[in-house]
Every structure is written in C-alpha cells, then in structure tokens.
C-alpha cells in the first residue's frame, strides 16, 4: 500500500521537465517534489518507478543518491523526492536548474555545438575541466555517468547535473 499524501500543501509546480511535477510541503514542513508518470491513451509510463529503482541501485553501489519513495496523491501514483535545492540551500542559476552557465564560460556554445559522437564527448570533458570544482567532483561525476549507462538512464543531461558542496 502506497502512502497517500493528498493532504500535503501544494507550494508550486516543478519547472521545465519531461514529467509533470509538483512542489509540496509535508505536514512537518519539509519540502518535496513529486514526479508523475506520463499518461497515455492506455495506462501510464513507469518513469516514476525507474527513479526509485535507480536511487536504490545507486545506493547499493555506494553512490550518494536522492531519497525516493513511491506515493499516491489525489489518486495518481508518483515518486516523491526530497527537494535537495531547498534542503541544502543550493544556488540555482536558471530554469532547469543548471549551475554550469553561471560558473563556466562557454556553456551555451557547448549546448549549440555541431560536434557529434566521440568529438562531442571529448569537447564536453574539456569543458568540464574548466569547472572550478572539477578535481573535487571528477570521480563521483564519472561514476554517475557509468551508473547511468548500466541502468539505461537517458535523463542525466547537463540540465540535470547538480553539485552540492557543503
């Protein structure tokens, strides 16, 4: 039986995303996001469940992952995630959450690059080396990319890269 969070306070809607999102506040005043699966003529996708599976597998592999829980809100299934931006008072640069444009020159050129395949990957890593925290995060970043390859995650694009330094 999934926990029903229908009575939680709606505080907003989660920016640009491929999935419908709501920003919620729990009765004990903790901020969360809920992601709902895409709806089709017949049923819904399992994208919300894959968030949970990825978080569990990543944790088993020793990676620091978001805390994810499957819930029901107003009759709809979704995955509930702690809002790490508010929880860690993280700085967000622009819609979509990317910090890279504010920290490294040339980010928009990377996004608009005509390069493909290995040339784009090499250019991307050269770009990342300019990031001020690269040496501190390099190992974890590469581990996350390898993890995504293993689980088939196609959603860790530059607008979903976050680095929280406490």
């Amino acid at each position: 039986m999934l926990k029903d969070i229908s009575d939680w306070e709606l505080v907003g809607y989660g920016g640009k995303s491929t999935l419908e999102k709501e920003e919620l506040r729990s009765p004990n005043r903790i901020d969360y996001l809920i992601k709902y699966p895409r709806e089709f003529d017949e049923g819904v996708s399992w994208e919300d469940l894959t968030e949970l599976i990825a978080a569990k597998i990543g944790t088993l592999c020793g990676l620091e992952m978001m805390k994810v829980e499957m819930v029901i809100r107003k009759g709809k299934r979704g995955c509930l995630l702690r809002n790490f931006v508010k929880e860690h008072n993280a700085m967000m640069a622009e819609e979509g959450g990317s910090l890279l444009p504010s920290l490294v020159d040339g980010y928009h050129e990377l996004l608009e690059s005509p390069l493909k395949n290995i040339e784009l990957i090499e250019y991307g890593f050269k770009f990342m080396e300019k990031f001020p925290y690269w040496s501190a995060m390099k190992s974890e970043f590469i581990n996350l990319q390898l993890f995504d390859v293993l689980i088939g995650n196609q959603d860790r694009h530059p607008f979903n890269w976050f680095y929280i330094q406490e």
Side-chain angles (χ1 to χ4, degrees):
M1 184 78 163
L2 299 179
K3 176 168 66 174
D4 188 338
I5 60 166
S6 297
D7 61 340
W8 286 19
E9 177 186 357
L10 175 66
V11 294
Y13 296 92
K16 292 181 182 176
S17 178
T18 56
L19 300 179
E20 176 189 356
K21 286 193 243 178
E22 292 178 330
E23 298 172 31
L24 304 174
R25 186 160 295 132
S26 71
N28 58 349
R29 313 296 296 160
I30 297 174
D31 291 326
Y32 290 85
L33 294 172
I34 185 170
K35 288 183 176 182
Y36 298 104
R38 288 178 236 253
E39 295 183 19
F40 300 105
D41 291 338
E42 294 184 32
V44 297
S45 73
W46 291 96
E47 293 161 295
D48 56 334
L49 186 59
T50 60
E51 293 263 356
L52 174 69
I53 293 168
K56 297 291 185 191
I57 293 171
T59 300
L60 290 172
C61 292
L63 299 172
E64 189 171 336
M65 305 297 289
M66 292 183 70
K67 295 167 186 70
V68 181
E69 178 183 1
M70 297 305 295
V71 297
I72 296 288
R73 177 167 167 80
K74 299 185 178 179
K76 290 173 69 175
R77 184 192 77 216
C79 65
L80 186 69
L81 311 121
R82 289 283 290 264
N83 190 331
F84 67 89
V85 172
K86 291 185 180 180
E87 184 175 342
H88 294 277
N89 197 25
M91 177 181 66
M92 302 300 284
E94 60 183 45
E95 188 66 34
S98 178
L99 282 172
L100 297 177
S102 67
L103 296 173
V104 182
D105 289 334
Y107 177 74
H108 294 290
E109 289 79 10
L110 173 64
L111 290 180
E112 296 170 4
S113 171
L115 297 174
K116 293 183 182 190
N117 303 322
I118 192 67
E119 290 84 16
L120 180 59
I121 293 169
E122 289 171 350
Y123 182 82
F125 273 102
K126 286 179 185 167
F127 171 80
M128 290 300 292
E129 289 171 358
K130 296 190 275 181
F131 186 58
Y133 304 107
W134 179 244
S135 61
M137 64 180 271
K138 180 179 181 178
S139 177
E140 186 75 10
F141 180 83
I142 291 171
N143 287 340
L144 282 172
Q145 301 307 310
L146 293 173
F147 174 69
D148 287 340
V149 168
L150 290 174
I151 67 166
N153 181 13
Q154 300 175 10
D155 196 34
R156 185 143 8 239
H157 49 76
F159 291 112
N160 281 344
W161 291 348
F162 291 95
Y163 179 72
I164 297 174
Q165 182 176 7
E166 299 184 74

